[in-house]
């Protein structure tokens, strides 16, 4: 990998994104690539503050519209303070979630808010990853894995299984609509098997 690149991991809660993003970043570093590993919501001090507002508390704490604004505000700060400076310094950025999560979580699950998500993205973010790994897996297994972590950030996991099924189909549709940058990964395997498939894309 010679050019600096922006690489994202997407998928439902508990699908193994964090595990694989970390392993892929380690793999790139071992090859001598400068890497910044980051995550959303969060990835910069201001965006981490917004993360706390978004992921804790009552599932009905925010309206759908307010939630889109908060995720977009966090992303804008993440882009300004972490992603763009790293890319400008010639580093590869690996992010655990990015704009595809808003397209699916906010755009596809709560009425038809996708046009609003897309307008805000065009206005405030206007950046796509060069490469996105979409980890697909059975939501029953993923939910068990995710809740077992007891992170205290379960506001979205608390919406339950039908919500996760809707998300899964949202991510699959998104991967099929963007074959130029999205690679679909079967997450129903061991972490080692998945990591070696992903490493082959480096
Ligand atoms: P995500 O970031 O998508 O929520 P994580 O990487 O945090 O997922 O994984 C959720 C949980 O499942 C963690 O406890 C992790 O150790 C475990 N895990 C990750 N990948 C696998 C895998 N392929 N098989 C079994 N358990 C896994
Ligand atoms: P994350 O910490 O990646 O959760 P997990 O490890 O369980 O996958 O993300 C936190 C939650 O925020 C997750 O449930 C997905 C949600 N989310 C959105 O709804 N919209 C977004 O734009 C982003 C980035 C995350």
């Amino acid at each position: 990998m010679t050019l600096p690149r922006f690489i994202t991991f997407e998928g439902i809660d508990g699908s193994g994104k964090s595990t694989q993003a970390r392993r892929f970043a380690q793999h790139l570093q071992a090859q001598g690539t400068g890497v910044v590993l980051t995550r959303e919501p969060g990835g910069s001090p201001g965006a981490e503050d917004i993360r706390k507002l978004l992921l804790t508390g009552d599932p009905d704490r925010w309206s759908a519209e307010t939630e889109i604004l908060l995720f977009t505000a966090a992303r804008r700060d993440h882009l300004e303070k972490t992603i763009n400076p790293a890319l400008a310094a010639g580093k590869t950025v690996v992010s655990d979630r990015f704009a595809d999560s808003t397209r699916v979580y906010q755009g596809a699950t709560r009425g038809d808010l996708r046009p609003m998500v897309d307008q805000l993205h065009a206005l405030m973010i206007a950046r796509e990853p060069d490469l996105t790994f979409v980890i697909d897996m059975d939501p029953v297994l993923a939910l068990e894995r995710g809740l077992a972590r007891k992170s205290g950030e379960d506001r979205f996991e608390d919406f339950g299984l039908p919500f996760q099924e809707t998300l899964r189909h949202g991510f699959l549709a998104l991967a099929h609509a963007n074959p130029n940058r999205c690679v679909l990964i079967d997450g129903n395997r061991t972490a080692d098997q998945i990591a070696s498939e992903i490493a082959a894309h480096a």
Side-chain angles (χ1 to χ4, degrees):
M1 202 181 281
T2 48
L3 291 173
R5 288 213 289 169
F6 178 28
I7 300 161
T8 59
F9 284 76
E10 298 280 2
I12 62 173
D13 301 282
S15 57
K17 296 176 303 300
S18 313
T19 303
Q20 295 301 330
R22 190 177 60 247
R23 290 186 61 154
F24 190 55
Q26 285 164 351
H27 173 74
L28 294 178
Q29 265 157 355
Q31 289 185 324
T33 306
V35 179
V36 170
L37 175 63
T38 186
R39 69 161 180 186
E40 287 205 356
S44 62
E48 290 288 334
D49 284 346
I50 298 173
R51 177 186 177 96
K52 291 189 198 97
L53 296 175
L54 279 161
L55 300 189
T56 57
D58 196 284
D60 297 323
R61 182 176 186 184
W62 307 110
S63 74
E65 290 78 6
T66 308
E67 197 170 275
I68 292 170
L69 288 167
L70 287 169
F71 277 114
T72 307
R75 181 160 306 126
R76 173 77 192 207
D77 194 65
H78 185 208
L79 203 59
E80 286 177 6
K81 306 277 172 53
T82 302
I83 297 174
N84 285 341
L87 293 173
K91 297 200 170 125
T92 292
V93 174
V94 176
S95 185
D96 178 357
R97 295 193 187 279
F98 189 65
D100 292 326
S101 283
T102 315
R103 292 180 179 120
V104 173
Y105 280 76
Q106 282 68 46
T109 62
R110 286 182 165 187
D112 192 11
L113 291 176
R114 181 62 190 271
M116 184 186 291
V117 168
D118 289 344
Q119 282 168 23
L120 268 174
H121 181 83
L123 197 62
M124 287 297 157
I125 310 297
R127 179 74 164 92
E128 298 302 333
D130 302 307
L131 176 63
T132 299
F133 294 106
V134 177
I135 305 183
D136 176 59
M137 73 171 297
D138 178 2
V140 176
L141 240 172
L143 200 62
E144 280 168 10
R145 282 188 197 168
L147 291 177
R149 282 177 307 184
K150 300 217 184 327
S151 64
E153 291 184 335
D154 296 334
R155 200 175 142 249
F156 286 89
E157 274 122 330
D158 285 349
F159 283 115
L161 195 56
F163 182 72
Q164 298 292 331
E165 299 273 9
T166 305
L167 295 175
R168 181 191 198 179
H169 290 290
F171 278 117
L172 285 173
L174 205 126
H176 288 126
N178 297 277
N180 50 326
R181 70 172 169 88
C182 290
V183 177
L184 200 56
I185 301 289
D186 176 7
N188 300 289
R189 296 175 292 164
T190 67
D192 282 350
Q193 287 171 324
I194 299 166
S196 46
E197 184 188 341
I198 291 173
H201 291 270

